[in-house]
Amino acid sequence: MDGTLLDAHGQLPADFPELQKLAAEHHCELVPASGRQLATLNDMFPHIDTFIAENGSVVMRGGEIIATFPIAEETVRAARAAANSITEPHTTVLCTPETAFVSDDVSGTARAELSKYYKAVTWVPELSSVPDSDIIKIAIFCESGSEAHVYEPIRQAVPDDNVAVSGKVWLDVMARGVDKGAALTKLAELAEVPIAATAAFGDYLNDLEMLQAAGTAVAMENAHPQLKEVADIIAPANTDNGVSVVLRKLLSS
């Protein structure tokens, strides 16, 4: 989404409805895949009913949730403890399929950032009051940089689970084996579409497994270097409507 489909102002490209129509004419389906929660994606795309949400932790097809992947409670406890030990200012978000739990004393900057990705938020006086069960993603916002300040302590705390740097200021923890690539593979199976016939667009490290799984991997010009290494195609930057440019070429080939 950010850095891939959305423009510099966080808006969908003006020609997105046209892209949907073009894809349908070619018997293809456009599926938003994001770290955003399902409630946010439903709000952004009211005419779409298939999503990969929460970095693959929640999958919807045909308007029905077909899969959720909770994190083991011991992993949640370890990740929360590691997050509490980080001295750099940060905000922890505990995600269930229905809502995101956040402490109500977060900064104004954090609130503004959260509002972009989480439509359904439950504000709590103490995050410690939220149970470790039914958590499908732990997200950590660090304004000074998630890769530099958050990744290593969390990675060390939960080495067997999926820890993804999902943006310059975001890091996400999912259960082992849960990522956008696994979700894409599952959707392709259900739709009886060969994975080789799929294409995926991405710009950051939480898109890596999805690009590796897809038949055609498209990294944006503004993508993290690791994505460009696995890409079949480098698209123009999101600010140059790169998804539309490449998608039109793919659909016409």
Side-chain angles (χ1 to χ4, degrees):
M1 300 298 293
D2 291 287
T4 301
L5 179 62
L6 305 185
D7 64 20
H9 304 290
Q11 301 298 312
L12 285 169
D15 66 343
F16 188 74
E18 185 181 340
L19 289 176
Q20 285 184 277
K21 182 180 178 181
L22 184 63
E25 289 173 352
H26 287 79
H27 307 288
C28 295
E29 184 176 8
L30 301 184
V31 179
S34 177
R36 285 171 165 81
Q37 67 179 175
L38 184 59
T40 305
L41 293 176
N42 276 321
D43 186 62
M44 293 179 68
F45 300 95
H47 303 299
I48 291 179
D49 60 7
T50 299
F51 299 102
I52 295 172
E54 304 279 23
N55 283 328
S57 294
V58 179
V59 182
M60 171 177 276
R61 182 171 186 257
E64 296 184 7
I65 294 176
I66 61 168
T68 62
F69 301 95
I71 306 172
E73 291 186 29
E74 56 267 30
T75 298
V76 176
R77 287 192 290 270
R80 291 175 70 168
N84 290 338
S85 71
I86 297 171
T87 57
E88 194 72 21
H90 64 281
T91 298
T92 300
V93 184
L94 300 177
C95 306
T96 69
E98 299 78 24
T99 191
F101 291 95
V102 190
S103 174
D104 59 15
D105 64 353
V106 301
S107 68
T109 300
R111 281 181 180 264
E113 185 72 9
L114 283 160
S115 69
K116 299 178 187 178
Y117 308 107
Y118 297 97
K119 179 177 176 61
V121 177
T122 301
W123 301 98
V124 294
E126 297 287 343
L127 201 62
S128 59
S129 66
V130 179
D132 295 322
S133 57
D134 301 321
I135 303 298
I136 49 91
K137 189 185 77 177
I138 301 170
I140 301 175
F141 165 68
C142 180
E143 188 177 5
S144 54
S146 58
E147 195 166 5
H149 300 285
V150 181
Y151 179 78
E152 280 304 324
I154 300 298
R155 172 78 279 168
Q156 291 177 21
V158 290
D160 296 326
D161 292 88
N162 185 4
V163 180
V165 178
S166 51
K168 293 181 179 179
V169 296
W170 283 101
L171 176 137
D172 295 325
V173 180
M174 287 75 63
R176 179 172 52 187
V178 175
D179 52 56
K180 293 180 183 178
L184 174 63
T185 301
K186 182 65 174 178
L187 281 176
E189 291 174 355
L190 290 172
E192 298 183 345
V193 172
I195 194 68
T198 66
F201 295 74
D203 72 292
Y204 226 80
L205 294 174
N206 60 326
D207 299 317
L208 181 61
E209 293 90 351
M210 182 172 64
L211 265 63
Q212 291 172 325
T216 300
V218 186
M220 312 306 291
E221 178 57 42
N222 51 288
H224 192 286
Q226 289 187 39
L227 263 70
K228 291 185 175 181
E229 290 177 4
V230 303
D232 300 304
I233 299 171
I234 303 297
N238 66 304
T239 51
D240 294 323
N241 206 14
V243 170
S244 178
V245 170
V246 172
L247 194 54
R248 289 176 186 275
K249 290 181 180 178
L250 291 174
L251 290 171
S252 65
S253 62

